[in-house]
Amino acid sequence: MKRSPQSTISRNLSYQEVYTCPICRHGEIAGMTLMDAFACNFCRHIFTANLREQSVQVVDNSHPLAWRWNGQAWRGLHQVDGDQTVLIWLIGLILVVLPSALVGLASYMFPPLDDSPSNSVPLLWTSLTFCLHFILVAWLVAEHHQFPLYVACKVRLQGLTNRS
């Protein structure tokens, strides 16, 4: 695929320019009228800009996310609170492993009768517990870290539900 000469030109961050959204990577951020801020036309996030440092930070999110403009693309600024991230992963691991282990232990200690038609139910129930808790924790981690693919899917889903 041949790149156009315009796409390789390095440019400084400016309120008069339009850039790809660093969160959803589908929309475009542009300067808001009468404000020193940017807004995305797809995911509707609002960003404050530091033109001297060539960076933006999302202000309508509980998790402080920031990106630096290198002239052609956004690079994430790692402002992750390490203690909070470790705590989230530890709680997530406990929420997935502990309920599944309890259900598995109960089915091991009190197995069904050998001639019972529901002999495979404990294994199914343990697997279902693990899968549902894993999905819950994956959703919580995606909400915390605001992965671009997750944000884009969330915005599109909201768009579909608002049309109905």
Side-chain angles (χ1 to χ4, degrees):
M1 183 171 136
K2 187 177 178 184
R3 286 184 142 186
S4 66
Q6 182 110 6
S7 66
T8 59
I9 296 174
S10 180
R11 57 188 176 157
N12 287 334
L13 191 61
S14 167
Y15 290 116
Q16 288 74 34
E17 296 285 329
V18 176
Y19 306 93
T20 303
C21 179
I23 291 182
C24 67
R25 301 189 201 280
H26 287 86
E28 294 178 332
I29 62 170
M32 296 177 70
T33 307
L34 300 175
M35 296 183 73
D36 290 337
F38 287 99
C40 178
N41 63 359
F42 184 77
C43 65
R44 305 286 188 224
H45 282 289
I46 298 173
F47 304 87
T48 58
N50 185 336
L51 297 181
R52 187 172 43 83
E53 293 182 10
Q54 296 290 296
S55 64
V56 294
Q57 181 175 4
V58 66
V59 293
D60 62 350
N61 193 348
S62 62
H63 189 65
L65 301 170
W67 296 267
R68 183 174 316 265
W69 179 250
N70 68 4
Q72 296 175 350
W74 296 106
R75 300 288 175 224
L77 292 177
H78 302 288
Q79 296 179 341
V80 177
D81 184 7
D83 295 337
Q84 185 182 20
T85 302
V86 169
L87 181 67
I88 288 172
W89 283 102
L90 184 63
I91 290 172
L93 183 67
I94 291 169
L95 282 174
V96 171
V97 172
L98 186 64
S100 304
L102 288 174
V103 170
L105 182 65
S107 67
Y108 177 75
M109 291 179 67
F110 306 105
L113 299 174
D114 289 334
D115 57 349
S116 173
S118 60
N119 202 8
S120 63
V121 170
L123 180 62
L124 178 67
W125 194 255
T126 304
S127 301
L128 187 63
T129 302
F130 178 82
C131 290
L132 291 177
H133 281 85
F134 182 79
I135 289 170
L136 172 74
V137 169
W139 171 70
L140 290 173
V141 167
E143 276 291 325
H144 175 73
H145 288 289
Q146 293 291 310
F147 298 117
L149 180 64
Y150 172 75
V151 172
C153 291
K154 189 166 98 171
V155 169
R156 287 191 175 145
L157 186 61
Q158 286 175 349
L160 289 174
T161 58
N162 288 344
R163 282 190 224 162
S164 302

